[in-house]
Amino acid sequence: MSPAAPTVASPSAGTEPVTDLASSAPTGEVLAVCRVHALLPDAGPAGVTAIDKRPVSGPVKVRRLGLYADLQADRANHGGAEQAVYAYGQDDTDWWVGQLEREIPPGLFGENLRVRGIPVSDAVVGERWSVGSALLEVTQPRTPCSTFARRLGEERWVKRFTVANRTGAYLRVVRGGELQAGDAVTVCYRPEHGVTLAAWFGAWTGRGADPEHAASLARRLLAAHLEGDVTLSDEMRARAEIAAGRRVED
């Protein structure tokens, strides 16, 4: 039996711009749509990894669990409705090119979408993107894992990626459709709580040094969740409850 779909804020609430977004909606572009090229041997629990994503041409269908013909080998830690699509920004990629002194072609980070013109790592948790005929919602930042480190082959990669706080964005599929390279990426909804992926990830990973900052952002996220302004992923909600020091009931 397929797992139940998560509860998602109503489309009417999730597509209306807030504040001044209507006149200044950020718009970017899809540079590449990537899906698994081949399963590679891996030392992780699944024994293989689907992190080898490469660009494909033409329209690609996107559904509740991600791109058509894409997959995740370790379903316990990757994929699912709340991490259906992973996007990474060209601005963050360019920064890493300078740091690593190597090329980073689309898909090397395991991303499904390489985009430009929109600050992916600074997206607000719960903001919605219109891409092709699909509607996607930002759910959480990427937490780097050992598979990612083995893929890159860079020393101390998990720590470096964490400290850099250029996480990219996981997205859920609010409305399935088709997308392809060259499509516009338009931010059509942005929750008023204002907590970005970078702000939250930095606060969460640094909460030992500044627990009150993490707690403050967590309280904003939980309040927005209870008010229906955003539907937090299970992982985001659990971490926000830890940081805030309290559990919430819907």
Side-chain angles (χ1 to χ4, degrees):
M1 180 178 297
S2 299
T7 301
V8 178
S10 64
S12 60
T15 55
E16 295 173 359
V18 295
T19 319
D20 61 346
L21 188 56
S23 61
S24 59
T27 301
E29 179 188 8
V30 176
L31 295 179
V33 177
C34 307
R35 61 189 178 195
V36 65
H37 175 72
L39 292 176
L40 303 177
D42 185 64
V48 294
T49 175
I51 199 171
D52 182 10
K53 313 286 189 191
R54 302 193 190 179
V56 295
S57 60
V60 178
K61 293 180 179 179
V62 60
R63 300 167 177 169
R64 188 175 73 90
L65 294 179
L67 300 184
Y68 178 75
D70 193 32
L71 58 85
Q72 296 82 32
D74 181 6
R75 287 293 180 90
N77 297 296
H78 301 285
E82 296 175 342
Q83 300 180 29
V85 176
Y86 178 53
Y88 206 76
Q90 188 60 45
D91 57 340
D92 287 332
T93 303
D94 291 342
W95 187 85
W96 279 116
V97 167
Q99 294 293 308
L100 302 178
E101 298 183 336
R102 59 185 280 191
E103 292 302 309
I104 303 177
L108 183 65
F109 278 13
E111 75 269 28
N112 299 115
L113 302 179
R114 174 72 67 84
V115 304
R116 69 179 172 194
I118 179 173
V120 177
S121 296
D122 283 313
V124 173
V125 176
E127 75 176 39
R128 290 184 171 185
W129 299 354
S130 175
V131 188
S133 59
L135 183 64
L136 310 177
E137 181 176 291
V138 174
T139 56
Q140 62 190 68
R142 178 189 198 161
T143 299
C145 65
S146 55
T147 296
F148 189 22
R150 288 188 288 272
R151 168 70 164 163
L152 267 292
E154 297 284 346
E155 292 186 6
R156 301 180 297 108
W157 180 247
V158 169
K159 181 176 182 180
R160 292 174 69 183
F161 192 82
T162 299
V163 171
N165 198 2
R166 296 171 181 266
T167 66
Y170 280 120
L171 304 107
R172 65 165 60 98
V173 180
V174 178
R175 182 184 67 235
E178 290 187 341
L179 42 75
Q180 62 183 318
D183 280 345
V185 180
T186 302
V187 178
C188 55
Y189 171 70
R190 178 168 287 158
E192 293 179 308
H193 64 74
V195 180
T196 66
L197 296 176
W200 169 249
F201 188 74
W204 170 254
T205 57
R207 65 191 185 284
D210 193 352
E212 181 48 42
H213 179 54
S216 175
L217 295 188
R219 288 191 290 268
R220 285 162 58 184
L221 288 170
L222 292 171
H225 178 81
L226 290 175
E227 292 167 2
D229 193 29
V230 64
T231 301
L232 294 179
S233 69
D234 291 344
E235 181 177 304
M236 284 288 288
R237 178 171 172 173
R239 290 184 173 185
E241 289 177 336
I242 291 170
R246 66 184 181 91
R247 292 183 60 83
V248 298
E249 300 293 336
D250 289 324

